C-alpha cells in the first residue's frame, strides 16, 4: 500500500539505537540529545507564555518577537542587518527547515550534493522530493575533501548543495579556505546552498565557525538553517529557523505553510527570551565551557577503554576508532557495545549512501550529565576484557 518512493526507508538509526538502549538498560550515548535540563530562564519564559495565553497559532513564518531576536542575533554574529519580516522563517526544528528547503529547490530528477557522511534526513528528503543525493567523500582523520571530486559531482541536474558545519557525525568545522573553495564552485554552477549550522555555538579550542552566507557573493544564494534545540538544549521543543535572502525564504515558506503552517507559540516566545537575554547572561560562553568539559570527560573514558578518538572542532559527538577490535562493521560493534557493555553508540555507516564506504568508527554523544558520562566510563573499562573473553569462546 506504500507509495513507491517510501520503499526502503527504515526507522532512523537514532530511534533504533535509543530503543535498543532502553530495552537493554544501556547508558545512551547514541541519539544526540542532552540528558541534562535546559536553562531555567528559558523554561520560565515558556511557562509564562502558556500562562499568558499565548497558545493559539503563531504567524505562519514565525512569531514576530522571535524573528526579531533571530535577526538581532545574526547581526551580532555577522555584522549584517537583516529584515525579520522577509529574511527569517521559524520552522518546527531544523529537520523541517531542511525538508522544506529540499522540497523547494529539488524537483523530480534533480540532484542535491552533500558531503558524505551526511545527516540522515538529507537523502530521504531528496528522495521524497523526487530527486537524489549525490555524495562527495570526506576523508578521515581530518575529514578533508578533494575539490576535484566536489567539482566532478556537479551535473546539469544539480540544483543545490547542502553543507553541514560544525558537522554531524564527524565534528569537523569547515575552515574558511574550504568554504571559499565550496563557495567558488557553487557560484560557478549557479546553485542554491542550504547550510545546516545547528552546532554553530558548540565549537572547541581554536576552531572558528564561519557561516558560508558571510562569504562574498554567498548571501544571495544561501539559506542558513539553525536550531534552538541545540543552542538552548531543548531538542523536544522543535524550534528551528532559517535565515537568508527574501527570495529563498519565500520558497521555503511556500512549503512550510503546508507542512506545519506554524510552530508551537509558547516555545517560540520562550526562545525569543532566550536569544534576547543569552549574551548578557554569558550563556554562550558557559555552553561552550560545559561542552568542552563533557568532551574531555568522554574522550578520556574512551581512551581508557582502548577506543582512541579522532580530533573534533565542534558538535557534541566524538568518533572512536574500532580498528583492531575484530568487528566486521560498525553496526555489529554498536549492537555489541549496547547489549554486552551497556553503552549505546551510533554506527556512522547510517550516514553513508553505501554503508560499505563507512570507515570503522562509532559515534558517541557527549551532550550528557557528568554523572551519565562517568557511568558510561565505568562500563567501558570492561570492553577489552569482554572482547578477549568472547574471542576465546569463539576459538574454543
Ligand atoms: N541537522 C543536524 C546536523 C543535526 O544533528 C540535527 C539534530 N541532531 C538536526 C539537523 C535536526 O535538528 P532539530 O532537532 O532542530 O530538528
Ligand atoms: N540529530 C540527532 C543525532 O544526530 C538525532 C535527532 C533525531 O533523532 N532525529 O543523534
Amino acid at each position: 500500500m506504500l507509495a513507491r518512493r517510501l520503499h526502503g526507508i527504515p526507522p532512523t538509526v537514532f530511534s533504533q539505537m535509543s530503543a535498543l538502549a532502553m530495552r537493554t538498560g544501556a547508558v545512551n550515548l547514541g541519539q544526540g540529545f542532552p540528558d541534562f535540563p535546559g536553562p531555567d530562564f528559558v523554561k520560565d519564559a515558556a511557562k509564562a507564555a502558556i500562562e499568558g495565553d499565548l497558545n493559539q497559532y503563531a504567524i505562519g513564518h514565525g512569531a514576530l518577537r522571535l524573528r526579531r531576536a533571530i535577526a538581532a542575533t545574526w547581526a551580532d554574529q555577522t555584522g549584517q542587518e537583516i529584515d525579520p519580516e522577509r529574511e527569517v522563517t521559524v520552522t518546527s526544528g531544523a529537520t523541517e527547515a531542511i525538508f522544506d528547503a529540499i522540497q523547494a529547490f529539488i524537483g523530480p530528477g534533480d540532484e542535491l550534493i552533500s558531503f558524505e557522511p551526511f545527516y540522515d534526513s538529507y537523502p530521504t528528503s531528496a528522495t521524497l522530493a523526487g530527486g537524489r543525493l549525490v555524495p562527495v567523500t570526506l576523508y578521515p582523520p581530518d575529514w578533508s575533501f578533494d575539490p576535484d571530486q566536489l567539482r566532478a559531482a556537479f551535473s546539469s541536474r544539480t540544483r543545490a548543495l547542502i553543507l553541514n558545519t560544525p558537522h554531524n557525525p564527524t565534528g569537523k568545522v569547515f575552515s574558511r579556505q574550504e568554504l571559499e573553495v565550496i563557495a567558488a564552485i557553487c557560484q560557478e554552477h549557479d546553485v542554491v546552498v542550504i547550510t545546516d549550522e545547528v552546532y554553530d555555538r558548540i565549537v572547541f579550542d581554536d576552531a572558528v565557525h564561519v557561516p558560508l552566507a558571510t562569504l562574498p557573493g554567498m548571501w544571495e544564494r544561501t539559506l542558513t538553517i539553525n536550531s534552538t534545540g541545540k543552542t538552548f538544549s531543548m531538542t523536544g521543543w522543535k524550534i528551528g529557523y532559517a535565515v537568508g535572502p527574501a527570495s529563498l525564504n519565500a520558497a521555503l515558506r511556500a512549503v512550510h505553510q503546508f507542512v506545519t503552517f506554524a510552530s508551537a507559540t509558547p516555545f517560540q516566545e520562550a526562545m525569543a527570551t532566550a536569544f534576547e537575554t543569552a549574551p548578557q547572561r554569558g550563556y554562550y560562553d558557559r555552553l561552550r565551557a560545559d561542552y568542552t568539559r563533557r568532551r574531555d570527560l568522554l574522550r578520556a573514558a574512551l581512551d581508557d577503554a582502548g577506543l582512541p578518538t579522532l580530533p573534533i572542532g565542534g558538535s557534541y559527538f566524538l568518533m572512536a576508532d574500532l580498528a583492531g577490535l575484530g568487528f566486521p562493521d560498525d553496526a555489529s560493534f554498536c549492537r555489541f557495545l549496547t547489549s554486552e557493555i551497556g553503552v549505546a553508540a551510533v554506527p556512522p555507516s547510517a550516514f553513508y549512501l553505501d554503508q560499505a564506504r563507512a570507515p570503522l568508527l562509532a559515534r558517541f554523544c557527549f551532550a550528557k550529565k557528568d554523572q551519565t558520562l562517568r557511568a558510561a566510563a565505568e562500563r567501558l573499562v570492561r570492553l577489552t576484557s569482554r572482547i578477549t573473553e568472547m574471542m576465546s569462546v569463539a576459538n574454543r
Side-chain angles (χ1 to χ4, degrees), residues 12-15 18 29-33 95 119-121 168-169 198-199 230 235 238 316-317 346 351 363 365:
T12 77
V13 70
F14 313 117
S15 311
S18 282
L29 305 187
Q31 191 176 23
F33 64 90
T95 307
Y119 187 58
D120 70 336
S121 84
N168 177 4
V198 301
Y199 300 104
K230 312 291 162 181
T235 58
K238 299 296 295 184
Y316 47 50
F317 304 108
V346 157
F351 299 71
R363 191 197 79 171
C365 174

Side-chain angles (χ1 to χ4, degrees), residues 163-179:
L163 174 76
N164 174 212
T165 184
H167 186 262
N168 177 4
T170 67
K172 176 186 176 70
V173 175
F174 283 74
S175 70
R176 184 175 289 276
Q177 287 85 336
E178 289 174 318
L179 295 175

Side-chain angles (χ1 to χ4, degrees), residues 275-321:
F275 282 116
E276 285 161 5
T277 65
Q280 79 220 33
R281 291 172 185 276
Y283 174 80
Y284 299 124
D285 293 337
R286 212 162 43 246
L287 182 79
R288 205 172 152 141
D290 285 343
Y291 272 120
T292 304
R293 185 190 69 253
R294 295 178 190 120
R295 177 203 60 177
D296 294 348
L297 258 174
L298 179 62
R299 193 166 53 189
L302 292 169
D303 263 340
D304 287 349
L307 291 169
T309 56
L310 275 58
I312 62 167
S315 85
Y316 47 50
F317 304 108
L318 277 168
M319 293 274 252
D321 191 347

